[in-house]
């Protein structure tokens, strides 16, 4: 595939800036901030246009905070102007250069993909393997602290294989270097760059290892095969491959037989929700965070309602135990 050129000018088009502006307003939860932003819409669009046209954009400071559900993570947030520019860079520079080279089985953070598409592949492969083989095996891999361990220099080299526009490369480099280490969770550019970082691994698995049944959602991926021994060989080769990317697999990585239960994207291989995240433990943890002031009442009640839908009787018993 040819390297993409003349991409930077796309982010200097008023129509594209306005589309990114409207998208950010729709997706921002802080409606008070959105109202102020919309009130001065023309002023903000004009300012963003002038900054980008003059090639003077410098990423602003990040608001860093911690979330505790579904697990503890450090999240970053930008001001509204930086969010618009972030969306512009993703949609007008990264997407045209990166999306055409991604395989269909890489399902995260793309239109008409996501969790739903990942589960479609997951169940399709289980069905196909059940029909073809008496017994089959699944190599389930998970990368340790994926976003935090993405190497800036390796990522820049990969991007330069797809883009030759120097001005586009500079603004991408500035965004990447605005993170101290890895990529921050929460930005649109981070999501796009994260699905691209392991693109070489996707092609290696499909074209070199010859794995027909494969699916990946960010750092969580599955390889299906009839031979356990071959999957063990694949695992060792993948460890070496990921070492060159300055990544490593975590302790949750292992090979399952078709007779065992395993979980992908929150679902078991029998299509049920993963009850290993026990309702009782989840409610107790949420209630503890609420008492400590680390989450609000709305979040607590939302979790209880979702658990209640999953298992009414067990949720009732958990709530009774909390009250005693």
């Amino acid at each position: 595939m040819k390297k993409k050129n003349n991409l930077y000018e796309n982010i200097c088009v008023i129509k594209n800036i306005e589309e990114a502006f409207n998208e950010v307003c729709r997706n921002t939860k802080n409606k008070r901030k959105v109202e102020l932003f919309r009130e001065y819409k023309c002023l903000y669009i004009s300012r963003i246009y002038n900054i980008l046209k003059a090639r003077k954009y410098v990423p602003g400071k990040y608001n860093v905070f911690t979330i505790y559900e579904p697990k503890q993570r450090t999240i970053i947030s930008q001001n509204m102007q930086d969010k618009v520019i972030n969306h512009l860079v993703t949609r007008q520079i990264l997407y045209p250069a990166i999306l055409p080279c991604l395989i269909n089985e890489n399902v995260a953070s793309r239109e008409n993909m996501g969790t739903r598409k990942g589960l479609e592949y997951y169940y399709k492969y289980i069905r196909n393997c059940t029909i073809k083989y008496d017994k089959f095996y699944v190599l389930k891999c998970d990368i340790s602290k994926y976003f935090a361990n993405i190497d800036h220099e390796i990522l820049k080299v990969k991007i330069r294989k797809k883009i030759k526009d120097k001005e586009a490369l500079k603004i991408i480099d500035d965004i990447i270097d605005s993170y101290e280490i890895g990529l921050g969770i929460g930005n649109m550019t981070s999501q796009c760059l994260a699905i691209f970082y392991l693109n070489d691994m996707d092609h290696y698995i499909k074209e070199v290892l010859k794995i027909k049944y494969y699916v990946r959602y960010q750092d969580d991926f599955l390889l299906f095969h009839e031979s356990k021994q071959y999957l063990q060989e694949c695992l060792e080769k993948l460890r070496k491959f990921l070492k060159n990317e300055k990544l490593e697999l975590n302790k949750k990585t292992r090979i399952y037989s078709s007779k065992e239960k395993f979980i992908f994207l929150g679902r078991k291989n029998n299509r049920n929700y993963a009850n290993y995240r026990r309702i009782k433990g989840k409610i107790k943890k949420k209630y503890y965070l609420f008492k400590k002031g680390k989450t609000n009442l709305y979040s607590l009640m939302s979790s209880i309602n979702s658990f209640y839908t999953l298992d009414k009787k067990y949720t009732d018993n958990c709530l009774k135990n909390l009250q005693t």
Side-chain angles (χ1 to χ4, degrees), residues 14 57 59 74-75 85 120 189 191-192 267 277 289 308:
I14 293 292
Y57 175 64
T74 300
I75 306 295
I85 294 174
E120 281 183 17
T189 49
Q191 297 296 323
C192 182
R267 294 289 187 100
R277 293 176 177 172
L289 294 172
Y308 194 76

Side-chain angles (χ1 to χ4, degrees), residues 11 17 20-21 23-24 48 52 57 59-60 62 76-95 171-172 174-176 178-179 183-193:
I11 67 175
I17 297 173
F21 181 99
E23 183 180 10
V24 168
I48 291 168
L52 294 175
Y57 175 64
Y62 294 105
I76 63 165
S77 177
Q78 295 179 299
N79 63 47
M80 298 295 282
Q81 179 175 292
D82 282 325
K83 282 184 179 180
V84 172
I85 294 174
N86 201 275
H87 278 61
L88 269 171
V89 171
T90 303
R91 294 206 177 275
Q92 304 301 328
I93 296 178
L94 292 177
Y95 277 3
I171 195 169
I172 294 170
D174 289 342
I175 292 172
I176 292 172
S178 67
Y179 311 113
L183 296 177
I185 301 175
N187 280 355
M188 195 172 183
T189 49
S190 296
Q191 297 296 323
C192 182
L193 293 170

Side-chain angles (χ1 to χ4, degrees), residues 241-252:
F241 187 96
L242 290 170
K243 189 175 181 180
N244 293 330
E245 306 284 354
K246 297 193 176 179
L247 298 170
E248 61 180 17
L249 297 170
N250 65 23
K251 294 179 180 178
K252 292 187 284 186

Side-chain angles (χ1 to χ4, degrees), residues 229-250:
Q229 182 179 350
Y230 184 67
L231 285 181
Q232 287 172 336
E233 293 173 10
C234 290
L235 177 57
E236 293 308 310
K237 290 177 180 178
L238 284 172
R239 290 190 195 278
K240 292 177 182 177
F241 187 96
L242 290 170
K243 189 175 181 180
N244 293 330
E245 306 284 354
K246 297 193 176 179
L247 298 170
E248 61 180 17
L249 297 170
N250 65 23

